[in-house]
């Protein structure tokens, strides 16, 4: 029903942001990650999800489409409701969370209040392939340079594209790739090394 809300941040409190759109205040349940990007009195855009039940309508809003997508994916997992999904999203940033699920790392999930080991394992089991497929499709859209660059430079471009798909900025990627042996390591090894540096 609502794709996004764009207006002035009228009020913020834990787990809630109110966006004033033309004199109407929309209360959006949200994550700590999105709240950290909002400033009261400033304009903002939140991508929304409307939950409709027999006796309740609740609006959820997120600072990026990536976080909204993760929220919806988490809700698709049996046993994960909106409260647990917001808790998980509040414990990490969207790109790190997606990477944790893809690699089968349940630690960031269990770190979220109210999320036990069993639920965390179920999330990884049900979402790992879905997220990996999404990242793979995005990566396929990248065309590596064919202009005679040195092998190391060619790998730099491909690894940078893969990291960008995971949501990292160009400055973060550039810093992470410094000091990595681009010529000797495989593309997969380069990406893993860069991720280790960025996750510290």
């Amino acid at each position: 029903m609502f794709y996004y809300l764009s207006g002035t941040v009228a009020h913020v409190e834990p787990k809630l942001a109110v966006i004033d759109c033309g004199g109407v205040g929309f209360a959006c349940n949200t994550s700590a990650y999105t709240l950290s990007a909002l400033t009261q009195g400033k304009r903002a855009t939140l991508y929304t999800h409307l939950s409709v039940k027999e006796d309740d309508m609740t609006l959820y809003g997120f600072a990026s489409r990536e976080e909204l997508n993760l929220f919806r994916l988490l809700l698709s997992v049996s046993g994960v409701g909106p409260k647990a999904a917001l808790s998980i999203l509040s414990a990490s940033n969207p790109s790190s969370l997606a990477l944790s699920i893809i690699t089968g790392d349940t630690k960031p999930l269990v770190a979220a209040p109210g999320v036990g080991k069993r639920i965390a394992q179920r999330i990884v089991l049900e979402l790992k392939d879905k997220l990996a497929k999404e990242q793979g499709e995005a990566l396929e859209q990248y065309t590596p340079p064919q202009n005679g660059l040195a092998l190391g430079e060619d790998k730099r471009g491909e690894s940078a594209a893969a990291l960008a798909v995971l949501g990292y900025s160009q400055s973060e990627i550039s810093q992470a790739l410094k000091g990595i042996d681009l010529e000797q390591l495989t593309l997969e090894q380069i990406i893993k090394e860069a991720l280790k540096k960025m996750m510290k």
Side-chain angles (χ1 to χ4, degrees):
M1 183 177 181
F2 299 107
Y3 184 74
Y4 66 80
L5 295 175
S6 187
T8 303
V9 181
H11 176 73
V12 292
E13 61 183 67
K15 301 179 183 179
L16 184 74
V18 178
I19 307 297
D20 185 331
C21 301
V24 179
F26 291 88
C28 296
N29 289 269
T30 190
S31 67
Y33 180 77
T34 285
L35 285 174
S36 69
L38 303 179
T39 303
Q40 193 164 325
K42 300 285 187 180
R43 289 190 63 81
T45 296
L46 294 185
Y47 297 91
T48 58
H49 172 85
L50 181 64
S51 174
V52 180
K53 297 180 181 179
E54 288 183 9
D55 57 348
D56 182 54
M57 288 178 65
T58 305
L59 192 62
Y60 298 88
F62 303 94
S64 68
R65 284 185 290 265
E66 290 76 17
E67 192 176 15
L68 172 62
N69 181 48
L70 272 173
F71 176 73
R72 287 174 170 165
L73 283 173
L74 287 168
L75 290 184
S76 72
V77 177
S78 176
V80 178
K83 187 176 179 181
L86 287 181
S87 180
I88 292 168
L89 291 169
S90 294
S92 181
N93 64 65
S95 56
S96 294
L97 177 60
L99 180 62
S100 297
I101 294 172
I102 290 171
T103 57
D105 181 10
T106 60
K107 289 180 183 177
L109 299 171
V110 177
V115 178
K117 189 174 181 180
R118 186 174 296 178
I119 290 292
Q121 290 173 335
R122 187 181 301 158
I123 289 171
V124 168
L125 180 66
E126 294 189 24
L127 300 186
K128 183 176 181 179
D129 290 342
K130 289 182 183 178
L131 283 170
K133 183 180 178 183
E134 282 183 13
Q135 304 293 4
E137 288 173 350
L139 186 55
E140 283 173 6
Q141 296 173 11
Y142 169 75
T143 303
Q146 300 294 328
N147 55 359
L149 289 175
L151 181 61
E153 288 303 309
D154 190 48
K155 284 184 183 177
R156 176 183 291 276
E158 292 187 61
S159 55
L163 293 166
V165 165
L166 291 173
Y168 291 102
S169 68
Q170 288 303 313
S171 60
E172 289 175 319
I173 293 168
S174 181
Q175 191 65 32
L177 290 176
K178 282 183 181 177
I180 295 177
D181 191 340
L182 300 176
E183 292 192 9
Q184 297 301 318
L185 298 178
T186 65
L187 183 61
E188 184 179 355
Q189 289 171 328
I190 292 169
I191 293 170
K192 284 183 177 179
E193 287 298 313
L195 288 171
K196 282 180 187 176
K197 291 169 74 173
M198 288 191 283
M199 297 284 278
K200 286 182 179 178

